[in-house]
Amino acid sequence: MTKKVEIRDILKYKYPENPMFNPAGTAYVYNVAYADEEKNVYKRDVWAVKEDKPFQLTATIDASVAFWNSDSEVILNRKKPEDEKSEDTELFSISIDGGEAKIWAKLPIALGDIKKVSDGVYAATVQIEESDPDAYLDDEETRKKKQDEKKKNLDSDYDVYTEVPYWGNGQGVTNGKRNALFIIRTTDDAEKAPESRFELKRITAPDFSVYDFEIDGNKVVFAGAKATKIPDFFCDLMAYDLEKDEVTTLYDKHDVGFEGFFVKDGKTFVFANDFKAHGLNGSAYLYKVENGELKKIEGYEPTHSRGNSIVGDVALGGGRQWRVLKEDEDIILYTISTIEDHTAISRITLETGKVETILDMPGNIHFFDIVFGRFILGYTGPDSLPEIYVAYKRDLEPVEIEDQRTYTPSGSKADLTQISHHNDSMLEDVYVAKPQRIDYESEGLVLHGWVLLPEDFDSDKKYPAVLDIHGGPRCVYSEGFFHEMQVWAAKGFVVMFTNIKGSDGRGDEFADIRGDYGGTDFKNLMDFVDAVLEKYPAIDKDRICETGGSYGGFMTNWIVTHTDRFCCAASQRSISNWISMSYISDIGPYFGPDQCGAEFGRWFDTDHTEILWKYSPLKYVENAKTPTLFLHSDQDYRCPLPEAMQMMQAMTVRGIETRMIVFHGENHELSRSGKPKHRIRRLEEITGWFEEHIK
C-alpha cells in the first residue's frame, strides 16, 4: 500500500550541506544535518568521500566543516547550543584517513568565516565591539570580568540603540558590532596548549565592517565600509599584503555596492550595482578593477540572476555558490544561476563576460564545488530529497536559452551520478505528487505555474485546494520537492503555485514591481487561479485556501482585503503596514520606501508616508471578510511581529474570524530552519486551519 507524506517526516529527513574538495581534488567532505526532537535542535555529522564512496567521519562532536588544512586534514567548527552567546571559538582537527577529532584551536574571538592563506597562516572575519575592538588581547582575568559584566547586561531590563539598523534577523542586537578582518598565525611551538598556540592580529579599523574577503597568493582582498548611523549600501575594496603588512586601496569611490568579487593571479573582478535602474533588487554588472577604477565588461548582460533564489523547506545549511578557476589563460567564474524556475551552473569568462549555462535541469542545485573539471553538488529533484551528486564538465554541453518566458531545462538527473543516499528510504513506497505545469497569460505576460494532485485524482470528484505564494518577492518556485506542499496533496488538497511578476529568473524588468505591489502581481495570481480552475473543474471553487510568507505574507494580507474568493487564509511573517515596517525592520528604512516606489537615495530626507500607506494592506482592512490565521515569530526582525499584531487586531475588532500563533525564540527563517518542534507545530496549525474551513 502506498504511504503518504506526513508532517512529522521533516524530523526524519537528512540535510547535506557545504561539500568541499581538498586542494588535490582527491577527496571531499560535507555536513549532514538532522533533527534532534528531544533537544529541539539540529545536529551535524561530517562525512567524507573518496573514489565516490562516502563514509562517516564524526558522530558525536556536532561540528561543521570550516576548511581543509591539507589534503587529509579537515578543520571543524563546533558551536554548542549552550554556548550560543559565547564569544569564544573551538576548532577541531580530523584526518579523513582515520582517527578521532582533536582540539586544534581555542580562540578568544567570535569567529565568522576563516580561510587558509598558507601553512600556518589564516585570514578570518571576527565580530568585535567597536567600543572594545581589542578585547581578544585581554588576559584571562580581564576577559572573565568583562564576560561576567556582559552577562549581567544581557539579563538587564534595557538596551541602548544609537544606529539603524540596531538589530538583524537571526543576529539579535547588532548595534555597535562590526566584522573585522583578522590574521591568525600558528606559533613555532606546536606543543603549546590550543588556547595559546595562535597569534591574532586585527587588520581593519574598529569602525570598519568587512562584508567578504578572498585570498590571492599572499594578499587578502576584502570589501567593506566604514560603519554609519544609517544604512549605507556602497562599499570599498582593499587588499592586505601579509609580507609588507600594509593595506592598500583598490577602489574607494564609494558609489556602488558589490554583489560579489573575485581575485585570481592579481586580477580582480566585481559584480557592482549603483541601484539606480531597478532599485535595491536590481542585478549587478561585471567590472574589472584597474588602477582604482571600475572597467565595465561590455560582453556581460545580467539576463538571469547569479545565486540561488529558489524557496523550499528541505535544505538547512548552505554551501559554495561560486568558484573562480584558471583555465588555460582565462579566468573562469563557475556560479549557480537562477533561470526561470530552476537553478543551473553557469560558466562566465570574466575578461569577456561570455556566459555559458552548462548544467541545467529541473529542480534545485543548492550548492557546488569544482576541481579539475569535476563537480560535486547538492540537488533536490521533483521526486527526490537533497543528496550529494557528481558531474563532469567534459560531459556537459553549453545550453542555448532563447526565451526565458517559455524555457524548459533540457538536462535531467541522468547527467548526475548520485553519491550519497541519506534520504533514499524516506520516499520508498510513498506517493509524491508530480508537478503538473500550467501555462497562462496575465496582464500581457506569458507565465506558468504548477499543481500537485492528490493520489488517484478523480475528475468526477470535488477537491479542496491551496494557493501557496512565495516570498521575496525576487524568489522563485521550482519543481523540486517541497515538503509542506506534498503534505497538503497527501491530505487531499490540490496545491497550486506559480512565479508571478516580481519573481526572479527572468531579468530585472520582470522582477521590478516597485510602486506596483498589489497591482500586476495580484492580478497574475488571480488569473493563475482562474487558469487552474478551468483546467481542473474538479476543484471546488468555494473551498480554496491561501497562504504565503514574507512577501507571500504581504500578498496574503492584500488578498484578504481585496477579494473574498478564498475560504480561509494563513498569513505568515507578513507585512501589513509599510510605515511601521519601514521604521522597525532591520531592512525597513530602505527596503520599504524602495519597494513602494521611492527614489533611490532619498529615503531619509523625504516624507513617503502617503505612498507607504497606499501599499499597506491595513489601509483596506474594512474590506476583509476571509477567516485568517496569522503566524509570526517574536525574534523576526525582517518582518517584525507588530506587522501581524496590527492586522490581527484590526480584523478581530471588525468581527472577522482570526487566530494568531507567536513562536518564541524564532526568527524570519521559521519555516526553513526553525527548531524542529516549532516547524511541526507551524505546519500542524496551518493544515488544521485549512481542514477546519473546507468542511
Side-chain angles (χ1 to χ4, degrees):
M1 182 178 177
T2 304
K3 296 181 289 187
K4 298 182 182 297
V5 177
E6 303 284 351
I7 290 177
R8 291 181 59 82
D9 286 347
I10 207 160
L11 298 176
K12 305 173 186 176
Y13 298 158
K14 302 296 191 296
Y15 304 94
E17 305 169 339
N18 197 26
M20 190 183 301
F21 272 115
N22 67 358
T26 56
Y28 55 94
V29 289
Y30 63 94
N31 277 112
V32 176
Y34 56 94
D36 182 332
E37 183 179 11
E38 182 180 348
K39 295 185 178 179
N40 202 25
V41 297
Y42 295 99
K43 294 184 176 179
R44 285 169 169 81
D45 296 332
V46 180
W47 286 63
V49 181
K50 288 183 179 180
E51 298 179 348
D52 289 343
K53 296 178 181 178
F55 55 95
Q56 191 167 348
L57 270 184
T58 67
T60 59
I61 191 175
D62 189 16
S64 298
V65 175
F67 63 93
W68 285 91
N69 205 29
S70 69
D71 285 331
S72 60
E73 183 188 24
V74 185
I75 304 302
L76 312 177
N77 190 346
R78 182 175 73 172
K79 193 74 171 180
K80 295 180 289 186
E82 57 266 30
D83 295 339
E84 188 174 347
K85 296 187 183 300
S86 171
E87 295 180 357
D88 297 335
T89 296
E90 281 188 339
L91 297 174
F92 286 74
S93 168
I94 191 169
S95 171
I96 61 170
D97 296 325
E100 295 293 323
K102 299 178 181 178
I103 186 72
W104 184 70
K106 289 185 178 181
L107 304 175
I109 52 176
L111 185 69
D113 193 13
I114 181 170
K115 298 173 184 178
K116 182 176 178 178
V117 179
S118 58
D119 287 344
V121 182
Y122 311 89
T125 49
V126 174
Q127 188 178 84
I128 63 170
E129 296 276 357
E130 185 177 331
S131 59
D132 190 15
D134 295 323
Y136 70 97
L137 297 174
D138 292 338
D139 58 41
E140 186 174 344
E141 182 179 351
T142 303
R143 183 171 177 78
K144 186 177 185 307
K145 183 178 179 181
K146 285 182 179 180
Q147 288 185 342
D148 289 344
E149 188 64 31
K150 284 183 179 181
K151 187 177 185 305
K152 291 179 183 178
N153 290 338
L154 287 172
D155 296 335
S156 70
D157 56 359
Y158 69 92
D159 288 307
V160 177
Y161 301 143
T162 59
E163 59 192 37
V164 175
Y166 37 76
W167 57 20
N169 188 68
Q171 304 173 65
V173 174
T174 57
N175 195 90
K177 296 179 180 178
R178 316 292 175 224
N179 272 340
L181 178 67
F182 272 60
I183 297 299
I184 302 172
R185 299 176 186 268
T186 56
T187 63
D188 294 332
D189 189 352
E191 300 302 317
K192 283 187 176 181
E195 58 267 27
S196 56
R197 192 185 302 149
F198 295 86
E199 296 176 347
L200 284 67
K201 180 179 181 178
R202 177 172 56 82
I203 303 302
T204 50
D207 62 349
F208 189 93
S209 273
V210 176
Y211 304 149
D212 198 4
F213 71 97
E214 294 297 329
I215 310 300
D216 187 31
N218 68 335
K219 293 183 178 179
V220 182
V221 180
F222 60 97
K226 185 176 180 179
T228 55
K229 295 294 184 182
I230 59 176
D232 181 355
F233 304 98
F234 301 141
C235 55
D236 303 316
L237 196 63
M238 327 285 274
Y240 173 69
D241 190 312
L242 281 86
E243 291 182 359
K244 298 179 179 179
D245 188 23
E246 65 179 19
V247 174
T248 57
T249 299
L250 302 181
Y251 187 80
D252 64 352
K253 297 187 186 306
H254 207 68
D255 55 359
V256 293
F258 296 160
E259 279 189 9
F261 68 93
F262 319 99
V263 293
K264 197 74 173 177
D265 294 347
K267 297 180 179 180
T268 304
F269 299 84
V270 300
F271 282 96
N273 194 346
D274 63 9
F275 309 110
K276 293 178 181 178
H278 296 282
L280 293 174
N281 278 351
S283 299
Y285 283 84
L286 177 61
Y287 298 84
K288 187 176 184 180
V289 183
E290 287 185 328
N291 301 320
E293 301 288 338
L294 296 184
K295 178 184 176 183
K296 188 174 182 181
I297 306 298
E298 298 295 342
Y300 177 80
E301 289 292 333
T303 54
H304 48 261
S305 298
R306 292 182 310 104
N308 188 338
S309 299
I310 291 176
V311 295
D313 60 359
V314 292
L316 273 181
R320 186 186 294 275
Q321 298 286 296
W322 59 267
R323 180 147 193 180
V324 172
L325 300 175
K326 187 79 172 288
E327 295 184 357
D328 297 325
E329 296 302 313
D330 293 325
I331 299 177
I332 304 297
L333 170 66
Y334 288 95
T335 178
I336 288 182
S337 298
T338 300
I339 303 174
E340 180 62 61
D341 57 14
H342 64 287
T343 47
I345 294 180
S346 297
R347 180 183 187 272
I348 303 176
T349 305
L350 291 177
E351 291 277 8
T352 65
K354 180 182 179 181
V355 181
E356 299 172 293
T357 299
I358 57 174
L359 185 54
D360 178 64
M361 54 202 297
N364 189 355
I365 298 173
H366 302 281
F367 37 70
F368 77 100
D369 198 3
I370 177 174
V371 172
F372 306 127
R374 185 181 183 213
F375 291 97
I376 51 173
L377 52 97
Y379 171 73
T380 299
D383 58 355
S384 62
L385 288 160
E387 297 288 359
I388 300 296
Y389 295 82
V390 166
Y392 292 90
K393 183 164 68 88
R394 64 172 183 265
D395 299 329
L396 305 172
E397 296 293 334
V399 177
E400 294 293 332
I401 302 174
E402 296 180 358
D403 188 348
Q404 292 189 67
R405 298 176 304 171
T406 57
Y407 177 69
T408 300
S410 57
S412 71
K413 198 172 175 180
D415 296 324
L416 308 177
T417 300
Q418 184 173 341
I419 299 301
S420 72
H421 297 271
H422 302 292
N423 291 303
D424 284 0
S425 62
M426 285 304 306
L427 299 182
E428 286 181 0
D429 301 320
V430 174
Y431 172 71
V432 177
K434 181 181 179 180
Q436 307 292 321
R437 177 165 165 160
I438 293 182
D439 296 295
Y440 66 103
E441 293 188 14
S442 173
E443 300 297 296
L445 297 170
V446 177
L447 304 169
H448 71 262
W450 303 265
V451 300
L452 302 181
L453 300 176
E455 188 175 14
D456 300 324
F457 180 79
D458 186 345
S459 58
D460 292 329
K461 295 181 179 179
K462 282 292 184 181
Y463 292 85
V466 176
L467 171 66
D468 205 348
I469 304 172
H470 68 62
R474 194 159 183 171
C475 294
V476 295
Y477 279 133
S478 77
E479 294 185 1
F481 184 95
F482 206 128
H483 174 73
E484 70 177 33
M485 294 189 190
Q486 292 291 339
V487 165
W488 296 329
K491 289 183 174 294
F493 291 87
V494 175
V495 184
M496 39 184 150
F497 52 106
T498 183
N499 293 323
I500 54 176
K501 181 169 172 56
S503 302
D504 203 6
R506 286 177 53 170
D508 286 339
E509 290 293 339
F510 184 80
D512 193 350
I513 58 170
R514 291 172 303 155
D516 191 32
Y517 270 58
T520 303
D521 49 356
F522 171 70
K523 293 174 183 175
N524 290 166
L525 286 167
M526 297 305 102
D527 289 341
F528 172 60
V529 174
D530 291 340
V532 173
L533 291 174
E534 182 178 355
K535 185 167 183 178
Y536 295 98
I539 296 174
D540 186 343
K541 64 181 180 62
D542 295 323
R543 293 195 297 154
I544 304 178
C545 311
E546 184 278 331
T547 190
S550 197
Y551 163 77
F554 157 82
M555 184 52 68
T556 297
N557 293 345
W558 190 268
I559 283 172
V560 300
T561 55
H562 287 77
T563 180
D564 60 357
R565 73 181 298 177
F566 298 98
C567 69
C568 68
S571 177
Q572 307 173 58
R573 57 192 187 281
S574 68
I575 298 169
S576 64
N577 182 348
W578 282 105
I579 299 174
S580 57
M581 188 269 185
S582 296
Y583 289 96
I584 300 177
S585 167
D586 62 347
I587 62 171
Y590 50 90
F591 184 81
D594 178 74
Q595 294 300 288
C596 290
E599 181 182 347
F600 176 79
R602 296 193 63 204
W603 307 319
F604 308 113
D605 62 357
T606 305
D607 184 1
H608 294 296
T609 303
E610 185 175 335
I611 191 173
L612 292 170
W613 186 239
K614 175 183 176 182
Y615 295 108
S616 298
L618 190 63
K619 177 180 179 180
Y620 309 98
V621 74
E622 293 287 353
N623 303 324
K625 299 178 182 177
T626 307
T628 304
L629 171 70
F630 294 93
L631 300 100
H632 227 98
S633 301
D634 63 2
Q635 292 182 16
D636 185 342
Y637 304 142
R638 186 61 38 85
C639 295
L641 179 58
E643 295 304 300
M645 297 168 71
Q646 292 174 83
M647 198 72 181
M648 182 268 186
Q649 289 197 41
M651 293 181 72
T652 301
V653 299
R654 285 164 174 80
I656 303 163
E657 183 187 359
T658 60
R659 174 181 171 88
M660 185 163 74
I661 313 296
V662 178
F663 290 91
H664 298 301
E666 296 289 359
N667 59 46
H668 199 64
E669 301 303 309
L670 168 63
S671 66
R672 297 178 280 267
S673 58
K675 294 181 177 67
K677 290 181 180 179
H678 287 169
R679 293 180 71 186
I680 295 299
R681 179 63 184 270
R682 166 194 167 269
L683 194 46
E684 288 176 341
E685 288 285 350
I686 297 172
T687 305
W689 185 259
F690 291 167
E691 291 178 328
E692 177 183 346
H693 287 88
I694 62 169
K695 292 178 181 177

